[in-house]
Amino acid sequence: MSEFTLRELQCFNAVVRTGGFQAAAAALHRSHPSVFAAVAKLERQLNLSLLDRSGYRVQATDAGLSFLQRAQTLLREAENLQAHAIQLAMGEESTLRVVIGDVCPRPPILALLSRFFSNCPVTQLDLHFEAIDGPQERLFDNEADLILHHVDKSDPRLEWIALGTTPFVPVVAAGFLPFPVSDDIRPDQMRGFTQCVIRDTARHSAPSNYFIIEGAHQCTVADQLMKKELIVHGMGWGHLPGFLIDQELRDGQLRSIAGRYLPGSVVELVAARRRDRPHGPVAERLWRAIGEHADQWKRSGLALPQGTPG
């Protein structure tokens, strides 16, 4: 048996994954004949029929599936090795792209970034602020190296550092409601009042629906600070992060209407980056710095514990 190549394995994997030679060629940015020839050569070298070509879509045979399972382990290791080589070849990055999400308290994060980049004269910080699904979209569009927001922790493409939690509390200004504030207020009672919501900065992701009451008039704003100002001035109501309204809840400017019908929520804050992308030396140092500060931030209140703004 002659030795097969990594390229042949990649072609075979792509054909099974996409269901055809033409689609595999497009995915690999290769010609259709070259992909067809690579898979045929692999079959001859192994003396195995790896593909069933009798149907509309090409499918792996039983032997092909068994072989592919082992081959995919090798392909993943090859990708990791290539990423590691790229990382080793990198000098210090000229730019590092960081996105802070709308649910993340900014002062401690900005303080860390300021200290960190003052010691990285070669690397420029490219800092952005995004809302709702904007941070994740930038990360998956390869427009960000690191985000500070909330993510789907089960996504295998991501690695993350837990930073704590932020409660989101439904609030109104004192005197906003014509009926008494209680923990029994229902969503239908709030439908007649303007609901203040954040504008999602994602450009092409499917829209997410957070706390929206169907049929209510909406006032859309760009960030949490503007949303807070409108609510404090009695121009609407809405959910706000606990770290932003702690003082207003204590002094009575804002009243929580959280209860069994409007429970609010708790968001888990993380620093997140792509697991399947190489990271340069400055990005690695920043990642370690965030990890070292994570426990300190949680203890000192980067994210308020659940239930703080009751």
Side-chain angles (χ1 to χ4, degrees):
M1 180 186 296
S2 57
E3 295 181 355
F4 49 79
T5 67
L6 188 62
R7 176 176 295 184
E8 290 160 2
L9 294 180
Q10 290 170 334
C11 290
F12 174 50
N13 179 59
V15 170
V16 175
R17 178 169 52 84
T18 62
F21 288 97
Q22 188 64 52
L28 295 173
H29 305 290
R30 300 184 187 281
S31 68
H32 179 284
S34 69
V35 173
F36 187 90
V39 176
K41 182 180 177 183
L42 180 63
E43 289 181 306
R44 289 196 304 272
Q45 290 171 323
L46 300 174
N47 194 28
L48 285 173
S49 177
L50 299 175
L51 294 174
D52 179 358
R53 299 168 172 81
S54 62
Y56 176 73
R57 284 175 61 89
V58 176
Q59 294 181 326
T61 62
D62 290 342
L65 282 175
S66 178
F67 178 77
L68 183 60
Q69 288 176 348
R70 297 288 187 91
Q72 285 174 335
T73 301
L74 180 60
L75 289 172
R76 283 193 295 269
E77 287 300 318
E79 288 177 1
N80 292 337
L81 183 60
Q82 184 177 33
H84 184 61
I86 293 172
Q87 184 174 330
L88 290 174
M90 285 180 176
E92 292 206 342
E93 304 93 311
S94 60
T95 302
L96 201 60
R97 304 162 301 172
V98 176
V99 174
I100 299 179
D102 64 293
V103 302
C104 189
R106 295 177 184 176
I109 296 297
L110 293 176
L112 170 66
L113 293 176
S114 176
R115 291 193 303 272
F116 180 86
F117 282 95
S118 67
N119 295 314
C120 300
V122 176
T123 303
Q124 179 180 357
L125 170 63
D126 183 11
L127 185 62
H128 295 268
F129 299 92
E130 300 280 348
I132 315 296
D133 291 326
Q136 298 98 311
E137 184 178 272
R138 275 189 177 267
L139 191 62
F140 288 121
D141 285 352
N142 294 320
E143 295 177 358
D145 301 299
L146 171 74
I147 66 171
L148 298 124
H149 198 50
H150 58 84
V151 298
D152 178 3
K153 291 183 176 181
S154 66
D155 192 322
R157 296 170 295 177
L158 298 178
E159 57 181 333
W160 47 267
I161 299 170
L163 302 178
T165 58
T166 290
F168 269 71
V169 186
V171 293
V172 297
F176 178 78
L177 296 177
F179 48 81
V181 171
S182 74
D183 59 5
D184 288 325
I185 294 176
R186 301 183 307 277
D188 60 282
Q189 290 178 275
M190 301 301 296
R191 187 170 290 117
F193 303 98
T194 297
Q195 186 177 13
C196 207
V197 298
I198 296 287
R199 183 181 302 112
D200 193 345
T201 59
R203 295 157 296 179
H204 56 75
S205 301
S208 299
N209 184 344
Y210 295 102
F211 313 122
I212 301 297
I213 292 183
E214 195 70 32
H217 176 71
Q218 294 179 4
C219 175
T220 305
V221 296
D223 57 46
Q224 301 288 355
L225 284 172
M226 179 58 118
K227 183 176 178 181
K228 172 185 171 180
E229 288 298 317
L230 291 180
I231 294 173
V232 166
H233 285 86
M235 300 176 69
W237 74 280
H239 291 72
L240 285 169
F243 64 82
L244 202 59
I245 55 173
D246 185 50
Q247 181 60 47
E248 288 77 12
L249 287 170
R250 284 200 301 266
D251 64 24
Q253 286 188 75
L254 293 177
R255 300 287 305 278
S256 168
I257 57 173
R260 53 182 171 167
Y261 302 114
L262 291 167
S265 70
V266 176
V267 173
E268 295 184 68
L269 299 177
V270 300
R273 66 180 186 178
R274 295 285 294 271
R275 187 189 302 275
D276 55 352
R277 293 288 184 271
H279 302 283
V282 178
E284 285 293 338
R285 293 202 300 270
L286 178 57
W287 187 253
R288 290 195 298 270
I290 291 173
E292 290 166 1
H293 283 78
D295 289 338
Q296 175 188 336
W297 282 338
K298 285 184 283 187
R299 288 194 302 269
S300 62
L302 166 64
L304 298 173
Q306 182 175 351
T308 295

